[in-house]
């Protein structure tokens, strides 16, 4: 890095697992996370940077995850809630089982890695294409606001995949192929400087807690 280069690193953490959803799609609903596995939070407390800006989504499970990291020994500052990092809004599909969602979608719309193909909009909800758009807006805005800093974002599988789509210039459908485990870390850098090339680089994807 040259002295004129500004590096802003995003540390994405997917929230702790949701274990009490009864096999039903919870998406944007405010279900609690299971934060009982303290060693995993201790690993996150060691791995995440100090003096970072912390963001969470609107949803309870991201707040509980940040609290558990703090309780495990990390000096988590006051968090900023960023609604545009919320999980995909599945609208009328919330509360349905996966098989019921498949039936609602109709034939020919199966997807191996996600609830539906990226361009499909659930009734009263949003498509994954729309998720990518709103997450990209939030990431661009927060990167400019906190240029040169570490940003820890406790978010969701969908929003982290959307951030990877932005960084890699991927079609939304292809971004759904990323595996993002609960409590994993994904690091994405924004490099602002005189060198040629893309502004974004991906440093790590889906790392387990240290």
């Amino acid at each position: 890095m040259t002295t004129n280069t500004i590096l802003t690193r995003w540390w994405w953490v997917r929230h702790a697992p949701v274990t009490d959803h009864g096999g039903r799609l919870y998406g944007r609903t405010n279900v609690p996370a299971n934060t009982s596995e303290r060693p995993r939070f201790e690993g996150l407390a060691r791995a995440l940077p100090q003096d970072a800006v912390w963001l969470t989504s609107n949803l309870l499970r991201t707040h509980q995850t940040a609290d558990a990291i703090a309780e495990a020994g990390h000096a988590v500052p006051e968090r900023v809630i960023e609604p545009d990092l919320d999980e995909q809004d599945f609208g009328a599909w919330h509360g349905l089982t996966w098989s019921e969602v498949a039936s609602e979608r109709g034939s020919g719309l199966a997807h191996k890695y996600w609830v539906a193909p990226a361009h499909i909009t659930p009734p009263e909800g949003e498509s994954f294409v729309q998720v990518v758009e709103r997450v990209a807006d939030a990431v661009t805005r927060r990167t400019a606001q906190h240029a040169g800093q570490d940003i820890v974002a406790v978010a969701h599988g969908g929003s982290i995949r959307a951030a990877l789509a932005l960084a890699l210039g991927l079609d939304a459908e292809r971004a759904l192929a990323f595996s993002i485990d609960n409590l994993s870390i994904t690091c994405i850098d924004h490099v602002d400087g005189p060198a040629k090339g893309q502004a974004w680089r991906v440093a790590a994807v889906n790392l387990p807690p240290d």
Side-chain angles (χ1 to χ4, degrees):
M1 295 292 172
T2 70
T3 56
N4 295 325
T5 297
I6 300 173
L7 172 65
T8 308
R9 171 161 287 184
W10 284 76
W11 301 73
W12 293 88
V13 178
R14 188 181 176 191
H15 62 79
V18 174
T19 55
D20 190 23
H21 57 86
R24 296 185 177 276
L25 186 63
Y26 52 87
R28 189 72 71 84
T29 57
N30 225 0
V31 293
N34 182 340
T35 59
S36 62
E37 295 185 62
R38 185 176 174 87
R40 301 184 72 189
F41 293 99
E42 291 172 344
L44 286 169
R46 290 190 296 269
L48 295 172
Q50 300 293 333
D51 301 320
V53 174
W54 278 65
L55 306 176
T56 66
S57 78
N58 266 321
L59 299 176
L60 174 65
R61 54 192 183 268
T62 65
H63 304 173
Q64 292 174 319
T65 300
D67 288 340
I69 295 170
E71 291 167 6
H74 195 286
V76 176
E78 183 177 354
R79 282 103 63 188
V80 177
I81 296 174
E82 174 51 73
D84 284 339
L85 300 187
D86 280 1
E87 184 58 282
Q88 183 174 350
D89 185 351
F90 294 112
W93 291 353
H94 285 122
L96 299 181
T97 64
W98 283 76
S99 60
E100 288 169 343
V101 170
S103 177
E104 287 282 333
R105 290 200 312 256
S107 60
L109 296 179
H111 194 284
K112 289 182 179 180
Y113 309 119
W114 196 240
V115 178
H119 64 281
I120 297 298
T121 303
E124 304 169 28
E126 65 179 342
S127 68
F128 185 68
V129 170
Q130 292 173 302
V131 176
V132 172
E133 291 171 352
R134 66 168 163 81
V135 170
D137 287 345
V139 169
T140 300
R141 172 168 36 85
R142 294 291 183 178
T143 298
Q145 182 180 359
H146 303 294
Q149 296 180 264
D150 288 303
I151 302 172
V152 176
V154 185
H156 307 270
S159 43
I160 297 171
R161 291 179 177 94
L164 286 164
L166 168 66
L168 295 171
L170 292 178
D171 175 84
E173 184 73 15
R174 298 194 67 179
L176 289 175
F178 281 106
S179 178
I180 306 295
D181 297 328
N182 293 106
L183 299 178
S184 65
I185 298 173
T186 293
C187 292
I188 303 174
D189 297 341
H190 184 270
V191 184
D192 185 6
K196 296 180 180 179
Q198 298 295 322
W200 290 100
R201 69 182 182 190
V202 176
V205 177
N206 203 39
L207 292 179
D210 183 19

